[in-house]
mmCIF file of all heavy atoms in Angstrom:
data_model
loop_
_atom_site.group_PDB
_atom_site.id
_atom_site.type_symbol
_atom_site.label_atom_id
_atom_site.label_comp_id
_atom_site.label_asym_id
_atom_site.label_seq_id
_atom_site.Cartn_x
_atom_site.Cartn_y
_atom_site.Cartn_z
ATOM 1 N N GLY I 82 -7.796 12.906 -7.519
ATOM 2 C CA GLY I 82 -7.477 14.257 -7.829
ATOM 3 C C GLY I 82 -7.705 15.260 -6.727
ATOM 4 O O GLY I 82 -7.326 15.089 -5.583
ATOM 5 N N GLU I 83 -8.291 16.521 -7.046
ATOM 6 C CA GLU I 83 -8.384 17.547 -6.250
ATOM 7 C C GLU I 83 -9.208 17.298 -4.820
ATOM 8 O O GLU I 83 -8.747 17.789 -3.869
ATOM 9 C CB GLU I 83 -9.047 18.767 -6.964
ATOM 10 C CG GLU I 83 -8.952 20.111 -6.230
ATOM 11 C CD GLU I 83 -9.476 21.248 -6.971
ATOM 12 O OE1 GLU I 83 -9.777 21.150 -8.199
ATOM 13 O OE2 GLU I 83 -9.594 22.387 -6.431
ATOM 14 N N PRO I 84 -10.237 16.507 -4.901
ATOM 15 C CA PRO I 84 -10.833 16.200 -3.610
ATOM 16 C C PRO I 84 -9.802 15.642 -2.581
ATOM 17 O O PRO I 84 -9.935 15.950 -1.438
ATOM 18 C CB PRO I 84 -11.893 15.188 -3.970
ATOM 19 C CG PRO I 84 -12.251 15.611 -5.392
ATOM 20 C CD PRO I 84 -10.901 15.914 -6.024
ATOM 21 N N ALA I 85 -8.984 14.866 -3.025
ATOM 22 C CA ALA I 85 -7.906 14.238 -2.087
ATOM 23 C C ALA I 85 -7.000 15.260 -1.556
ATOM 24 O O ALA I 85 -6.593 15.277 -0.453
ATOM 25 C CB ALA I 85 -7.127 13.216 -2.804
ATOM 26 N N VAL I 86 -6.708 16.260 -2.505
ATOM 27 C CA VAL I 86 -5.799 17.302 -2.030
ATOM 28 C C VAL I 86 -6.459 18.231 -0.872
ATOM 29 O O VAL I 86 -5.945 18.644 0.082
ATOM 30 C CB VAL I 86 -5.351 18.197 -3.217
ATOM 31 C CG1 VAL I 86 -4.395 19.440 -2.743
ATOM 32 C CG2 VAL I 86 -4.617 17.388 -4.220
ATOM 33 N N GLU I 87 -7.808 18.485 -1.185
ATOM 34 C CA GLU I 87 -8.588 19.139 -0.180
ATOM 35 C C GLU I 87 -8.595 18.454 1.145
ATOM 36 O O GLU I 87 -8.463 19.098 2.258
ATOM 37 C CB GLU I 87 -9.955 19.425 -0.684
ATOM 38 C CG GLU I 87 -9.950 20.403 -1.949
ATOM 39 C CD GLU I 87 -11.393 20.537 -2.510
ATOM 40 O OE1 GLU I 87 -12.343 19.926 -1.959
ATOM 41 O OE2 GLU I 87 -11.501 21.354 -3.540
ATOM 42 N N VAL I 88 -8.817 17.181 1.128
ATOM 43 C CA VAL I 88 -8.777 16.312 2.310
ATOM 44 C C VAL I 88 -7.534 16.409 2.990
ATOM 45 O O VAL I 88 -7.439 16.546 4.244
ATOM 46 C CB VAL I 88 -9.273 14.917 1.980
ATOM 47 C CG1 VAL I 88 -8.980 14.017 3.300
ATOM 48 C CG2 VAL I 88 -10.711 14.804 1.598
ATOM 49 N N LEU I 89 -6.394 16.369 2.231
ATOM 50 C CA LEU I 89 -5.086 16.524 2.757
ATOM 51 C C LEU I 89 -4.840 17.830 3.517
ATOM 52 O O LEU I 89 -4.227 17.943 4.589
ATOM 53 C CB LEU I 89 -4.034 16.362 1.751
ATOM 54 C CG LEU I 89 -2.520 16.392 2.181
ATOM 55 C CD1 LEU I 89 -2.251 15.274 3.197
ATOM 56 C CD2 LEU I 89 -1.668 16.296 0.863
ATOM 57 N N ASN I 90 -5.323 18.900 2.891
ATOM 58 C CA ASN I 90 -5.179 20.247 3.533
ATOM 59 C C ASN I 90 -5.954 20.343 4.817
ATOM 60 O O ASN I 90 -5.429 20.957 5.820
ATOM 61 C CB ASN I 90 -5.616 21.299 2.497
ATOM 62 C CG ASN I 90 -4.796 21.515 1.301
ATOM 63 O OD1 ASN I 90 -3.598 21.200 1.426
ATOM 64 N ND2 ASN I 90 -5.426 21.814 0.171
ATOM 65 N N THR I 91 -7.144 19.740 4.898
ATOM 66 C CA THR I 91 -7.945 19.746 6.067
ATOM 67 C C THR I 91 -7.206 18.861 7.070
ATOM 68 O O THR I 91 -7.209 19.334 8.305
ATOM 69 C CB THR I 91 -9.339 19.209 5.833
ATOM 70 O OG1 THR I 91 -9.954 19.935 4.782
ATOM 71 C CG2 THR I 91 -10.141 19.211 7.115
ATOM 72 N N TYR I 92 -6.644 17.770 6.761
ATOM 73 C CA TYR I 92 -5.993 16.836 7.618
ATOM 74 C C TYR I 92 -4.788 17.539 8.184
ATOM 75 O O TYR I 92 -4.468 17.304 9.468
ATOM 76 C CB TYR I 92 -5.624 15.530 6.869
ATOM 77 C CG TYR I 92 -4.548 14.747 7.527
ATOM 78 C CD1 TYR I 92 -4.958 13.839 8.597
ATOM 79 C CD2 TYR I 92 -3.205 14.694 7.226
ATOM 80 C CE1 TYR I 92 -4.026 13.088 9.369
ATOM 81 C CE2 TYR I 92 -2.293 13.938 7.893
ATOM 82 C CZ TYR I 92 -2.676 13.110 8.949
ATOM 83 O OH TYR I 92 -1.774 12.442 9.583
ATOM 84 N N GLY I 93 -4.116 18.363 7.459
ATOM 85 C CA GLY I 93 -2.900 18.998 7.977
ATOM 86 C C GLY I 93 -3.138 19.942 9.161
ATOM 87 O O GLY I 93 -2.241 20.146 9.939
ATOM 88 N N GLN I 94 -4.485 20.267 9.533
ATOM 89 C CA GLN I 94 -4.675 21.014 10.649
ATOM 90 C C GLN I 94 -4.625 20.122 12.010
ATOM 91 O O GLN I 94 -4.529 20.717 13.043
ATOM 92 C CB GLN I 94 -5.993 21.673 10.508
ATOM 93 C CG GLN I 94 -6.252 22.475 9.358
ATOM 94 C CD GLN I 94 -7.610 23.183 9.143
ATOM 95 O OE1 GLN I 94 -8.469 23.103 10.051
ATOM 96 N NE2 GLN I 94 -7.926 23.547 7.941
ATOM 97 N N TYR I 95 -4.717 18.933 11.770
ATOM 98 C CA TYR I 95 -4.831 18.067 12.960
ATOM 99 C C TYR I 95 -3.736 16.987 13.034
ATOM 100 O O TYR I 95 -3.709 16.064 13.855
ATOM 101 C CB TYR I 95 -6.181 17.191 12.873
ATOM 102 C CG TYR I 95 -7.371 18.150 12.719
ATOM 103 C CD1 TYR I 95 -7.910 18.389 11.493
ATOM 104 C CD2 TYR I 95 -7.882 18.745 13.863
ATOM 105 C CE1 TYR I 95 -9.105 19.157 11.360
ATOM 106 C CE2 TYR I 95 -9.038 19.620 13.800
ATOM 107 C CZ TYR I 95 -9.547 19.731 12.501
ATOM 108 O OH TYR I 95 -10.652 20.670 12.432
ATOM 109 N N LEU I 96 -2.725 17.042 12.142
ATOM 110 C CA LEU I 96 -1.691 16.046 11.989
ATOM 111 C C LEU I 96 -0.960 15.825 13.207
ATOM 112 O O LEU I 96 -0.561 14.667 13.611
ATOM 113 C CB LEU I 96 -0.804 16.273 10.764
ATOM 114 C CG LEU I 96 -0.094 17.500 10.609
ATOM 115 C CD1 LEU I 96 1.233 17.468 11.425
ATOM 116 C CD2 LEU I 96 0.169 17.990 9.140
ATOM 117 N N TRP I 97 -0.639 16.927 13.978
ATOM 118 C CA TRP I 97 0.228 16.791 15.201
ATOM 119 C C TRP I 97 -0.636 15.920 16.179
ATOM 120 O O TRP I 97 -0.073 15.057 16.977
ATOM 121 C CB TRP I 97 0.572 18.032 15.695
ATOM 122 C CG TRP I 97 1.606 18.774 14.962
ATOM 123 C CD1 TRP I 97 1.514 19.889 14.109
ATOM 124 C CD2 TRP I 97 3.010 18.333 14.859
ATOM 125 N NE1 TRP I 97 2.733 20.175 13.490
ATOM 126 C CE2 TRP I 97 3.637 19.241 13.878
ATOM 127 C CE3 TRP I 97 3.784 17.349 15.425
ATOM 128 C CZ2 TRP I 97 5.025 19.179 13.645
ATOM 129 C CZ3 TRP I 97 5.139 17.258 15.020
ATOM 130 C CH2 TRP I 97 5.711 18.205 14.115
ATOM 131 N N TYR I 98 -1.910 16.090 16.318
ATOM 132 C CA TYR I 98 -2.776 15.358 17.251
ATOM 133 C C TYR I 98 -2.707 13.917 16.902
ATOM 134 O O TYR I 98 -2.666 12.973 17.764
ATOM 135 C CB TYR I 98 -4.263 15.872 17.205
ATOM 136 C CG TYR I 98 -4.317 17.249 17.644
ATOM 137 C CD1 TYR I 98 -4.466 18.358 16.688
ATOM 138 C CD2 TYR I 98 -4.130 17.735 18.997
ATOM 139 C CE1 TYR I 98 -4.645 19.613 17.146
ATOM 140 C CE2 TYR I 98 -4.270 19.032 19.391
ATOM 141 C CZ TYR I 98 -4.488 19.994 18.461
ATOM 142 O OH TYR I 98 -4.613 21.359 18.832
ATOM 143 N N VAL I 99 -2.736 13.591 15.636
ATOM 144 C CA VAL I 99 -2.660 12.121 15.162
ATOM 145 C C VAL I 99 -1.356 11.624 15.572
ATOM 146 O O VAL I 99 -1.351 10.429 16.103
ATOM 147 C CB VAL I 99 -2.866 12.077 13.710
ATOM 148 C CG1 VAL I 99 -2.735 10.540 13.219
ATOM 149 C CG2 VAL I 99 -4.169 12.639 13.255
ATOM 150 N N SER I 100 -0.259 12.322 15.425
ATOM 151 C CA SER I 100 1.137 11.686 15.766
ATOM 152 C C SER I 100 1.195 11.469 17.234
ATOM 153 O O SER I 100 1.740 10.509 17.717
ATOM 154 C CB SER I 100 2.152 12.703 15.311
ATOM 155 O OG SER I 100 2.300 12.634 13.868
ATOM 156 N N ILE I 101 0.717 12.584 18.072
ATOM 157 C CA ILE I 101 0.832 12.389 19.516
ATOM 158 C C ILE I 101 -0.115 11.174 19.987
ATOM 159 O O ILE I 101 0.397 10.391 20.844
ATOM 160 C CB ILE I 101 0.266 13.706 20.125
ATOM 161 C CG1 ILE I 101 1.276 14.836 19.938
ATOM 162 C CG2 ILE I 101 0.111 13.482 21.718
ATOM 163 C CD1 ILE I 101 0.774 16.154 20.329
ATOM 164 N N ALA I 102 -1.206 11.028 19.336
ATOM 165 C CA ALA I 102 -2.039 9.764 19.684
ATOM 166 C C ALA I 102 -1.332 8.590 19.341
ATOM 167 O O ALA I 102 -1.486 7.563 20.179
ATOM 168 C CB ALA I 102 -3.417 9.917 18.938
ATOM 169 N N MET I 103 -0.687 8.385 18.317
ATOM 170 C CA MET I 103 -0.020 7.222 17.994
ATOM 171 C C MET I 103 1.179 6.923 18.870
ATOM 172 O O MET I 103 1.480 5.781 19.355
ATOM 173 C CB MET I 103 0.567 7.297 16.464
ATOM 174 C CG MET I 103 -0.546 7.377 15.456
ATOM 175 S SD MET I 103 0.126 7.334 13.744
ATOM 176 C CE MET I 103 0.801 5.617 13.707
ATOM 177 N N ILE I 104 1.890 8.016 19.268
ATOM 178 C CA ILE I 104 2.933 7.797 20.243
ATOM 179 C C ILE I 104 2.376 7.254 21.630
ATOM 180 O O ILE I 104 2.957 6.443 22.222
ATOM 181 C CB ILE I 104 3.841 9.230 20.489
ATOM 182 C CG1 ILE I 104 4.589 9.496 19.204
ATOM 183 C CG2 ILE I 104 4.691 9.012 21.654
ATOM 184 C CD1 ILE I 104 5.109 10.914 19.243
ATOM 185 N N VAL I 105 1.336 7.839 22.032
ATOM 186 C CA VAL I 105 0.641 7.370 23.339
ATOM 187 C C VAL I 105 0.234 5.973 23.168
ATOM 188 O O VAL I 105 0.432 5.153 24.014
ATOM 189 C CB VAL I 105 -0.448 8.397 23.590
ATOM 190 C CG1 VAL I 105 -1.294 7.753 24.796
ATOM 191 C CG2 VAL I 105 -0.012 9.773 23.977
ATOM 192 N N GLY I 106 -0.339 5.644 21.944
ATOM 193 C CA GLY I 106 -0.756 4.243 21.775
ATOM 194 C C GLY I 106 0.417 3.325 21.781
ATOM 195 O O GLY I 106 0.195 2.164 22.325
ATOM 196 N N ILE I 107 1.536 3.622 21.095
ATOM 197 C CA ILE I 107 2.660 2.775 21.153
ATOM 198 C C ILE I 107 3.176 2.526 22.566
ATOM 199 O O ILE I 107 3.513 1.415 22.925
ATOM 200 C CB ILE I 107 3.835 3.382 20.310
ATOM 201 C CG1 ILE I 107 3.348 3.391 18.808
ATOM 202 C CG2 ILE I 107 5.149 2.591 20.492
ATOM 203 C CD1 ILE I 107 4.431 4.120 17.959
ATOM 204 N N ILE I 108 3.254 3.573 23.421
ATOM 205 C CA ILE I 108 3.791 3.457 24.701
ATOM 206 C C ILE I 108 2.817 2.580 25.597
ATOM 207 O O ILE I 108 3.197 1.677 26.356
ATOM 208 C CB ILE I 108 3.875 4.815 25.428
ATOM 209 C CG1 ILE I 108 4.912 5.653 24.760
ATOM 210 C CG2 ILE I 108 4.251 4.722 26.936
ATOM 211 C CD1 ILE I 108 5.091 7.130 25.250
ATOM 212 N N ALA I 109 1.442 2.747 25.392
ATOM 213 C CA ALA I 109 0.471 2.015 26.127
ATOM 214 C C ALA I 109 0.583 0.551 25.763
ATOM 215 O O ALA I 109 0.415 -0.302 26.597
ATOM 216 C CB ALA I 109 -0.981 2.596 25.838
ATOM 217 N N VAL I 110 0.636 0.211 24.436
ATOM 218 C CA VAL I 110 0.820 -1.227 24.017
ATOM 219 C C VAL I 110 1.982 -1.862 24.580
ATOM 220 O O VAL I 110 2.039 -2.948 25.031
ATOM 221 C CB VAL I 110 0.762 -1.236 22.513
ATOM 222 C CG1 VAL I 110 1.125 -2.710 22.043
ATOM 223 C CG2 VAL I 110 -0.639 -0.885 21.966
ATOM 224 N N ALA I 111 3.118 -1.093 24.505
ATOM 225 C CA ALA I 111 4.417 -1.582 25.101
ATOM 226 C C ALA I 111 4.248 -1.886 26.636
ATOM 227 O O ALA I 111 4.719 -2.905 27.133
ATOM 228 C CB ALA I 111 5.606 -0.626 24.840
ATOM 229 N N TRP I 112 3.532 -0.976 27.326
ATOM 230 C CA TRP I 112 3.420 -1.190 28.737
ATOM 231 C C TRP I 112 2.508 -2.389 29.106
ATOM 232 O O TRP I 112 2.829 -3.188 29.912
ATOM 233 C CB TRP I 112 2.789 0.082 29.330
ATOM 234 C CG TRP I 112 2.482 -0.002 30.808
ATOM 235 C CD1 TRP I 112 3.387 0.354 31.892
ATOM 236 C CD2 TRP I 112 1.354 -0.599 31.535
ATOM 237 N NE1 TRP I 112 2.787 0.010 33.090
ATOM 238 C CE2 TRP I 112 1.510 -0.423 32.899
ATOM 239 C CE3 TRP I 112 0.060 -0.956 30.976
ATOM 240 C CZ2 TRP I 112 0.560 -0.794 33.821
ATOM 241 C CZ3 TRP I 112 -0.839 -1.422 31.883
ATOM 242 C CH2 TRP I 112 -0.638 -1.211 33.291
ATOM 243 N N TRP I 113 1.431 -2.519 28.336
ATOM 244 C CA TRP I 113 0.527 -3.678 28.424
ATOM 245 C C TRP I 113 1.263 -5.003 28.118
ATOM 246 O O TRP I 113 1.048 -5.897 28.943
ATOM 247 C CB TRP I 113 -0.708 -3.354 27.527
ATOM 248 C CG TRP I 113 -1.617 -4.515 27.608
ATOM 249 C CD1 TRP I 113 -2.641 -4.819 28.621
ATOM 250 C CD2 TRP I 113 -1.842 -5.607 26.768
ATOM 251 N NE1 TRP I 113 -3.305 -5.885 28.361
ATOM 252 C CE2 TRP I 113 -2.959 -6.399 27.225
ATOM 253 C CE3 TRP I 113 -1.280 -5.959 25.480
ATOM 254 C CZ2 TRP I 113 -3.346 -7.502 26.606
ATOM 255 C CZ3 TRP I 113 -1.657 -7.154 24.945
ATOM 256 C CH2 TRP I 113 -2.736 -7.919 25.462
ATOM 257 N N LYS I 114 1.963 -5.044 27.140
ATOM 258 C CA LYS I 114 2.795 -6.287 26.819
ATOM 259 C C LYS I 114 3.766 -6.668 27.919
ATOM 260 O O LYS I 114 3.958 -7.760 28.306
ATOM 261 C CB LYS I 114 3.380 -6.176 25.557
ATOM 262 C CG LYS I 114 2.515 -6.298 24.279
ATOM 263 C CD LYS I 114 3.296 -6.203 23.053
ATOM 264 C CE LYS I 114 2.440 -6.350 21.834
ATOM 265 N NZ LYS I 114 3.032 -6.466 20.495
ATOM 266 N N ALA I 115 4.370 -5.592 28.439
ATOM 267 C CA ALA I 115 5.321 -5.764 29.420
ATOM 268 C C ALA I 115 4.701 -6.393 30.719
ATOM 269 O O ALA I 115 5.449 -7.055 31.481
ATOM 270 C CB ALA I 115 6.165 -4.546 29.706
ATOM 271 N N HIS I 116 3.639 -5.967 31.061
ATOM 272 C CA HIS I 116 2.940 -6.307 32.274
ATOM 273 C C HIS I 116 2.020 -7.519 32.235
ATOM 274 O O HIS I 116 1.517 -8.009 33.206
ATOM 275 C CB HIS I 116 2.124 -5.084 32.812
ATOM 276 C CG HIS I 116 2.920 -4.043 33.443
ATOM 277 N ND1 HIS I 116 3.743 -3.138 32.674
ATOM 278 C CD2 HIS I 116 3.226 -3.736 34.708
ATOM 279 C CE1 HIS I 116 4.367 -2.281 33.458
ATOM 280 N NE2 HIS I 116 4.122 -2.711 34.630
ATOM 281 N N THR I 117 1.741 -7.985 30.970
ATOM 282 C CA THR I 117 0.853 -9.144 30.869
ATOM 283 C C THR I 117 1.644 -10.317 30.229
ATOM 284 O O THR I 117 1.098 -11.464 30.071
ATOM 285 C CB THR I 117 -0.355 -8.757 29.953
ATOM 286 O OG1 THR I 117 0.221 -8.341 28.623
ATOM 287 C CG2 THR I 117 -1.262 -7.736 30.584
ATOM 288 N N GLY I 118 2.876 -10.072 29.782
ATOM 289 C CA GLY I 118 3.708 -11.138 29.178
ATOM 290 C C GLY I 118 3.234 -11.601 27.835
ATOM 291 O O GLY I 118 3.577 -12.701 27.447
ATOM 292 N N ASN I 119 2.647 -10.609 27.142
ATOM 293 C CA ASN I 119 2.148 -10.964 25.675
ATOM 294 C C ASN I 119 3.197 -10.576 24.730
ATOM 295 O O ASN I 119 2.801 -10.418 23.575
ATOM 296 C CB ASN I 119 0.822 -10.227 25.534
ATOM 297 C CG ASN I 119 -0.343 -10.845 26.232
ATOM 298 O OD1 ASN I 119 -0.176 -11.995 26.537
ATOM 299 N ND2 ASN I 119 -1.321 -10.141 26.571
ATOM 300 N N ASP I 120 4.405 -10.411 25.169
ATOM 301 C CA ASP I 120 5.492 -9.979 24.157
ATOM 302 C C ASP I 120 6.319 -11.137 23.815
ATOM 303 O O ASP I 120 7.501 -10.968 23.238
ATOM 304 C CB ASP I 120 6.339 -8.926 24.733
ATOM 305 C CG ASP I 120 6.961 -9.227 26.077
ATOM 306 O OD1 ASP I 120 6.556 -10.220 26.622
ATOM 307 O OD2 ASP I 120 7.902 -8.564 26.520
ATOM 308 N N LYS I 121 5.826 -12.369 24.046
ATOM 309 C CA LYS I 121 6.657 -13.603 23.728
ATOM 310 C C LYS I 121 6.820 -13.862 22.262
ATOM 311 O O LYS I 121 7.735 -14.411 21.827
ATOM 312 C CB LYS I 121 6.044 -14.854 24.528
ATOM 313 C CG LYS I 121 5.898 -14.613 26.053
ATOM 314 C CD LYS I 121 7.326 -14.508 26.587
ATOM 315 C CE LYS I 121 7.118 -14.447 28.238
ATOM 316 N NZ LYS I 121 8.481 -14.426 28.823
ATOM 317 N N GLN I 122 5.770 -13.488 21.585
ATOM 318 C CA GLN I 122 5.784 -13.851 20.083
ATOM 319 C C GLN I 122 6.077 -12.578 19.262
ATOM 320 O O GLN I 122 5.321 -11.727 19.290
ATOM 321 C CB GLN I 122 4.371 -14.433 19.743
ATOM 322 C CG GLN I 122 4.269 -14.777 18.220
ATOM 323 C CD GLN I 122 2.905 -15.221 17.979
ATOM 324 O OE1 GLN I 122 2.057 -15.666 18.652
ATOM 325 N NE2 GLN I 122 2.554 -15.085 16.615
ATOM 326 N N PRO I 123 7.238 -12.698 18.655
ATOM 327 C CA PRO I 123 7.627 -11.491 17.733
ATOM 328 C C PRO I 123 6.581 -11.276 16.630
ATOM 329 O O PRO I 123 6.172 -12.199 16.033
ATOM 330 C CB PRO I 123 9.053 -11.845 17.221
ATOM 331 C CG PRO I 123 9.425 -13.037 18.058
ATOM 332 C CD PRO I 123 8.225 -13.695 18.526
ATOM 333 N N PRO I 124 6.249 -10.070 16.265
ATOM 334 C CA PRO I 124 5.362 -9.848 15.208
ATOM 335 C C PRO I 124 6.018 -10.015 13.954
ATOM 336 O O PRO I 124 7.182 -9.867 13.722
ATOM 337 C CB PRO I 124 4.973 -8.387 15.297
ATOM 338 C CG PRO I 124 6.188 -7.725 16.096
ATOM 339 C CD PRO I 124 6.692 -8.792 17.012
#
């Protein structure tokens, strides 16, 4: 109920930072796989 809504409202203040962090993480993982050859096995 309401406690979850309050957490969501607080989270809304930082959501763009979370998305940016995820994008950076995706790029970093892709770069690491490309340079270590660990992309042989499809997830």
Side-chain angles (χ1 to χ4, degrees):
E83 190 171 352
V86 178
E87 294 176 357
V88 171
L89 179 64
N90 292 333
T91 303
Y92 166 77
Q94 302 174 17
Y95 306 98
L96 54 88
W97 288 108
Y98 298 103
V99 176
S100 291
I101 292 173
M103 293 187 69
I104 293 173
V105 172
I107 292 172
I108 295 174
V110 170
W112 179 89
W113 180 76
K114 287 185 176 182
H116 286 75
T117 58
N119 288 334
D120 57 346
K121 301 296 184 182
Q122 181 182 337

